[in-house]
Amino acid sequence: MKQNQNKSRFWRLSAFCLALWAVAPTLQAREIEGVVTTGGKPMHDVVVTDGLHFAYTDSRGRYTLDAPDDSHFVYLLTPKGFVCDYSTGIPQFYQRLKDTQKRYNFVLYPMQGDARKTLMIAGADTQLDTDRDRQRLFTETLPDMQKLLTDHTGRQQAMFIAGDLTWDVYGRNADVKQFVRQLGIPCYPVIGNHDYDKYVTPTDTTNYAAPYEADFGPTYYAFMLGDACYVVLNDIKYTGYKRYTNSLVQGHQMQWLRTLLGVVLQQNTNVFVVMHAPLMFPGSGRLTEGGDELKAMLLGKPFNAAVFSGHLHTNTTSCLSDGLWEYNMGAICGYFWETDVSGDGTPNGYHVIETDSTRWQQHYKATGMDMNCQMKLYAPGTIADRPNDLCCKIWNWDTRWQVSWSEDGKEMGAMRQMHSFDPDYLAWLDGRLATADYTPRRTNHFFSCHPSPSARRVTVKAQDAYGNIYTQTYSLKP
């Protein structure tokens, strides 16, 4: 049965690739080959790609590809339960193609922990610039993540950073690698607008991603962690000197993606698409260029999908279609390491994705706080929009949450949702005029209730999309 499945898989992939060649422009190609092993033994059915075509390794671990001349890398879709060497901090699932080299071998290592249970630290925007930024990353974020990993031993663990690893300071890439080496888990990077070379002179052939590729490898790829396939995409079309547009239509990326999602991934699993800028900017209702095609690829398939992005340094969850959600994640650096909260009031932090087989959930993890801390309460008189109300900010709220309150033990019903600016961020501004990068962001993650004059305590209960319940109590009177 296994042999028949493999043959069926091979012919599906071969037929699709032949069709792809028929419609694609004619490209000069070079044959590359290699072997994938683990523990000195060949690994079969490992997916290998050159950024356009795919191949499966055979029973002897061998593969061959006709790589187009404009391919920069050959790389693996790392299979479930395995990882490439990540002693540099970044898994070496890729190798740069060289004119004088034909053979590219790969070695895979079993991951520690249960492959059915995983934990992914889903971060965005470390955005290192100064020594002070680095210090905060290493003294605040690093120990927070280390404790999280210790609390979840037994799960297979990894991390991704959804772009803007530094703030145009490519020498800081070494700091990012040192950070993830100390964290001790494989980290999968994503290219952001500040990871391109803004200093190089623009020409028709300039590779603006050269500094990123030198340190982190290909700008789009995929890997398995447990029963989830993470698909990393590049949605920053860079044209030089910090100019860029948001687009998925770049080089061979969309053709590669059609094959990956249309042929390679045909099992009941989870597919998490990761990119830097949002697929849909919150409130716009419009998808980035290529986004409608990506959305169509994700719907009506045997797998379940979600999108994770960064870039905006605020935390917003949007419904793209029935059952398809985008998590535009708050930033590890907050507002560029200047504050402890971003402009929408989200604390500096990151998301955590936990999977148990094909079941999964995500949470926001505020740096320095327990993961069960998902809200903050504000005394009456704190928020100008509701001067007489007790208010609550839930930084990972979306329309699936339920928020209610009780007064001195008596259930009072649902809280009223409202738009507001975050008082903690406004206090940090302290009346200063905010520049573009530091603009406060009005958000609908606030809720209010009006306690009675005799009320002594108010308890807020919030239930998330997965049935987890969070409570917090505020004492109005001693």
Side-chain angles (χ1 to χ4, degrees), residues 30-35 63-67 74 95-106:
R30 48 182 164 166
E31 185 178 275
I32 60 174
E33 62 185 24
V35 176
Y63 72 90
T64 59
L65 282 165
D66 288 326
V74 57
Q95 294 185 51
R96 183 178 288 276
L97 295 175
K98 301 176 182 177
D99 292 337
T100 58
Q101 184 176 339
K102 181 180 179 180
R103 191 171 184 83
Y104 301 87
N105 296 336
F106 292 90

Side-chain angles (χ1 to χ4, degrees), residues 262-329:
V263 179
V264 178
L265 296 179
Q266 286 297 314
Q267 62 266 41
N268 181 21
T269 185
N270 296 310
V271 173
F272 299 133
V273 178
V274 185
M275 59 187 71
H276 178 57
L279 182 61
M280 183 179 75
F281 276 69
S284 70
R286 298 188 305 273
L287 301 183
T288 193
E289 184 182 20
D292 287 314
E293 184 177 358
L294 171 59
K295 178 179 169 182
M297 293 182 203
L298 297 175
L299 296 175
K301 296 294 176 61
F303 51 74
N304 303 304
V307 179
F308 291 85
S309 58
H311 187 54
L312 299 184
H313 296 242
T314 53
N315 201 61
T316 305
T317 302
S318 302
C319 184
L320 304 177
S321 184
D322 288 344
L324 180 61
W325 294 79
E326 176 171 17
Y327 302 90
N328 185 235
M329 301 179 293

Side-chain angles (χ1 to χ4, degrees), residues 141-440:
T141 308
L142 179 60
D144 186 83
M145 290 183 176
Q146 288 173 327
K147 183 179 185 306
L148 173 76
L149 297 175
T150 300
D151 291 342
H152 291 80
T153 55
R155 292 181 177 267
Q156 292 192 352
Q157 302 170 340
M159 177 183 185
F160 68 72
I161 304 175
D164 283 0
L165 309 176
T166 77
W167 202 345
D168 308 306
V169 186
Y170 317 117
R172 295 284 180 185
N173 287 349
D175 291 332
V176 174
K177 287 185 172 183
Q178 183 181 357
F179 167 76
V180 293
R181 281 200 305 272
Q182 292 189 25
L183 191 58
I185 59 175
C187 178
Y188 294 90
V190 183
I191 193 167
N193 52 293
H194 288 292
D195 299 312
Y196 284 91
D197 191 343
K198 73 173 185 178
Y199 305 103
V200 67
T201 302
T203 69
D204 292 340
T205 60
T206 298
N207 180 15
Y208 301 104
Y212 176 92
E213 290 181 347
D215 284 320
F216 303 115
T219 59
Y220 60 94
Y221 59 94
F223 63 94
M224 296 292 297
L225 182 69
D227 289 301
C229 182
Y230 290 81
V231 181
V232 172
L233 298 178
N234 175 14
D235 66 347
I236 304 295
K237 184 178 284 187
Y238 203 82
T239 54
Y241 296 144
K242 299 190 74 170
R243 296 188 300 268
Y244 65 92
T245 56
N246 300 125
S247 175
L248 292 166
V249 184
Q250 301 185 58
H252 300 306
Q253 179 170 256
M254 293 302 285
Q255 293 174 316
W256 175 87
L257 189 59
R258 290 183 202 110
T259 309
L260 178 70
L261 297 181
V263 179
V264 178
L265 296 179
Q266 286 297 314
Q267 62 266 41
N268 181 21
T269 185
N270 296 310
V271 173
F272 299 133
V273 178
V274 185
M275 59 187 71
H276 178 57
L279 182 61
M280 183 179 75
F281 276 69
S284 70
R286 298 188 305 273
L287 301 183
T288 193
E289 184 182 20
D292 287 314
E293 184 177 358
L294 171 59
K295 178 179 169 182
M297 293 182 203
L298 297 175
L299 296 175
K301 296 294 176 61
F303 51 74
N304 303 304
V307 179
F308 291 85
S309 58
H311 187 54
L312 299 184
H313 296 242
T314 53
N315 201 61
T316 305
T317 302
S318 302
C319 184
L320 304 177
S321 184
D322 288 344
L324 180 61
W325 294 79
E326 176 171 17
Y327 302 90
N328 185 235
M329 301 179 293
I332 290 174
C333 73
Y335 259 19
F336 316 101
W337 298 111
E338 293 293 332
T339 65
D340 294 325
V341 295
S342 288
D344 68 339
T346 303
N348 301 5
Y350 49 92
H351 282 246
V352 177
I353 304 170
E354 291 183 84
T355 71
D356 291 274
S357 188
T358 57
R359 293 182 292 108
W360 71 278
Q361 52 184 296
Q362 60 77 37
H363 312 276
Y364 191 78
K365 173 68 176 70
T367 303
M369 302 183 195
D370 190 273
M371 197 154 67
N372 287 323
C373 184
Q374 295 289 318
M375 69 179 87
K376 183 173 181 178
L377 305 187
Y378 298 92
T382 304
I383 295 181
D385 298 273
R386 296 285 191 276
N388 299 314
D389 289 1
L390 183 142
C391 297
C392 170
K393 168 70 188 290
I394 301 175
W395 38 79
N396 203 32
W397 175 88
D398 65 55
T399 55
R400 297 167 293 181
W401 284 60
Q402 301 175 39
V403 186
S404 61
W405 68 294
S406 60
E407 179 181 288
D408 295 330
K410 180 182 178 181
E411 297 293 334
M412 303 298 290
M415 296 183 76
R416 294 182 297 165
Q417 189 177 13
M418 57 187 259
H419 286 74
S420 186
F421 292 104
D422 180 67
D424 295 323
Y425 187 72
L426 294 180
W428 177 80
L429 282 176
D430 194 26
R432 294 172 293 173
L433 180 65
T435 59
D437 285 336
Y438 298 92
T439 302

